[in-house]
Amino acid sequence: MTVRPAPACVVAAVARRDFIRLAGATAAGFFALGATPDRMRIVASITVLPLDDELTKRNMSESSTSRLGALIAGLRQRGWVEGVNYRFEVRSSFGGPDKMRTAVQELVDLKPDVILTGSTVETAAVMAATTTIPIVFATSNDPVGNGFVQSLAHPGGNVTGFTSGAPEMGGKWLQLIKEAVPDIQRIGVLFNPASTPRAGRYYLDSLEQEAATSDVKVDLAPIGTAAEIDGAIARFAEPPRAAMISLVDSFLVVNRQAIVATTAKYRVPMIYPFHYFMDAGGLMSYGPTLEVRSADYVDLILRGTKAGDLPVQSPRKYELLINRTVASALGLKIPYTLLARADEIRE
């Protein structure tokens, strides 16, 4: 498998035409009726992170580089002002299944005009609680396979949103980490089967195919609790030479600080799917560029468009981040050929 720069846009042509047509028609209708809504709307959001998590607090800021901040800023640009014509309600599902059910029920009881979800697990929980309230998932890796939508172009039902990767990512992660650590003989795969797409199989097929061509053994490291992180990573510090891959997994995002600290403790190189891990001191990441486009869909839904009529959109660009200081601490000399392809090099 050869890693090439991601295409500028990977959204299906049909989906884009549908979106442009719906956006034009809905916006025209709204302006024809005037810019003042007839009632206070409710935009709800549920997050798997604790509300006091650094990433949650950053997301809640009005920075255009954070998910919820960009949503609020995007809605303002479209005429929606928080506290004037809509209110924003956020709940955290952190704390186990009971907390998840409570948080979801609290939001559903508010009868919001739209619910924004941040992970596959949350989307499934909200869908189980309502078939009528519009749902927009900010990230989902396999919305068709998970039963969220009928198809990407025509979701149907009350759900739509944005995908955050493809199955082929597994093979790309392996290729990239092997370029950084050429002498690896095995690759550890860290994930929580309960919170990663298809219990990990969504990415493992392409990863195992790439491993077979690279003469690298795949060694799975499934975990279910934070207490298992240390042991799961420690065994890859022993011979034969190993590196690790973190799958797309909301559980791993919640525990990103502990994971990154443990890789440093045992000097185990790991590649991650999101820049969140880089912010915590990770070695390298490869994944979709942060593009917060949910404001487009939330706006359309608030103006009357059905969620199921809005096509699911895919990432338009992927980015490679490398921390050269972390690499040096691990005793790695990143090849110039890999550094040249990086979208960002951190020191």
Side-chain angles (χ1 to χ4, degrees):
M1 178 182 297
T2 302
V3 175
R4 298 185 176 87
C9 181
V10 295
V11 181
V14 173
R16 179 181 289 173
R17 288 197 299 269
D18 288 346
F19 174 74
I20 292 173
R21 174 179 56 78
L22 286 164
T26 306
F30 176 79
F31 288 118
L33 293 172
T36 304
D38 55 355
R39 60 181 176 80
M40 179 74 76
R41 309 299 174 90
I42 300 176
V43 176
S45 178
I46 185 166
T47 176
V48 71
L49 296 168
L51 293 181
D52 61 354
D53 186 280
E54 178 184 345
L55 185 54
T56 306
K57 290 188 283 189
R58 187 191 314 165
N59 279 340
M60 288 298 294
S61 73
E62 294 195 14
S63 168
S64 60
T65 60
S66 69
R67 181 180 296 165
L68 296 182
L71 170 66
I72 293 171
L75 289 177
R76 184 184 297 113
Q77 292 173 355
R78 293 159 178 79
W80 300 100
V81 181
E82 187 179 6
V84 176
N85 50 12
Y86 86 98
R87 80 174 197 261
F88 196 57
E89 296 281 351
V90 182
R91 298 291 186 277
S92 169
S93 64
F94 180 78
D98 289 341
K99 182 59 186 290
M100 170 81 78
R101 284 189 289 270
T102 299
V104 169
Q105 194 58 53
E106 284 182 8
L107 289 183
V108 171
D109 288 345
L110 293 172
K111 296 181 171 55
D113 294 272
V114 58
I115 299 177
L116 186 72
T117 60
S119 75
T120 297
V121 174
E122 294 164 343
T123 303
V126 175
M127 286 186 66
T130 178
T131 58
T132 57
I133 298 173
I135 300 167
V136 176
F137 50 80
T139 58
S140 178
N141 293 277
D142 187 19
V144 177
N146 285 315
F148 296 165
V149 299
Q150 297 173 13
S151 71
L152 299 184
H154 304 285
N158 62 316
V159 186
T160 189
F162 305 86
T163 65
S164 57
E168 293 76 20
M169 294 287 288
K172 291 180 181 179
W173 290 322
L174 176 52
Q175 187 186 47
L176 288 167
I177 193 66
K178 195 171 189 306
E179 284 190 65
V181 195
D183 59 339
I184 59 171
Q185 299 177 46
R186 58 190 178 123
I187 188 74
V189 185
L190 189 68
F191 64 103
N192 183 341
S195 51
T196 196
R198 297 187 193 176
R201 290 311 317 174
Y202 186 69
Y203 299 106
L204 287 174
D205 289 343
S206 68
L207 197 159
E208 289 169 350
Q209 290 172 10
E210 179 66 24
T213 64
S214 305
D215 197 26
V216 173
K217 177 187 176 183
V218 176
D219 194 345
L220 303 185
I223 57 176
T225 66
E228 298 174 88
I229 292 172
D230 190 278
I233 294 175
R235 63 190 180 92
F236 292 97
E238 303 297 328
R241 180 68 156 145
M244 296 188 74
I245 293 172
S246 164
L247 296 188
V248 173
D249 186 335
S250 58
F251 174 82
L252 300 188
V253 174
V254 170
N255 292 284
R256 64 195 182 283
Q257 298 281 357
I259 292 169
V260 171
T262 306
T263 61
K265 172 184 175 182
Y266 291 109
R267 297 174 57 83
V268 177
M270 183 182 291
I271 186 169
Y272 306 94
F274 301 121
H275 70 87
Y276 312 134
F277 293 90
M278 298 296 291
D279 298 339
L283 170 64
M284 59 193 299
S285 68
Y286 180 75
T289 303
L290 177 64
E291 292 183 287
V292 184
R293 293 175 281 162
S294 53
D296 294 329
Y297 276 8
V298 172
D299 173 59
L300 289 172
I301 290 169
L302 292 178
R303 300 179 193 272
T305 302
K306 294 180 179 179
D309 290 339
L310 296 167
V312 174
Q313 296 190 48
S314 300
R316 295 183 290 192
K317 183 181 179 182
Y318 292 82
E319 62 182 1
L320 171 64
L321 280 63
I322 298 173
N323 190 315
R324 195 152 47 181
T325 300
V326 173
S328 296
L330 293 173
L332 301 176
K333 185 174 178 58
I334 305 297
Y336 288 114
T337 52
L338 184 56
L339 291 172
R341 302 205 307 277
D343 296 275
E344 182 181 338
I345 299 173
R346 299 188 180 184
E347 301 288 353

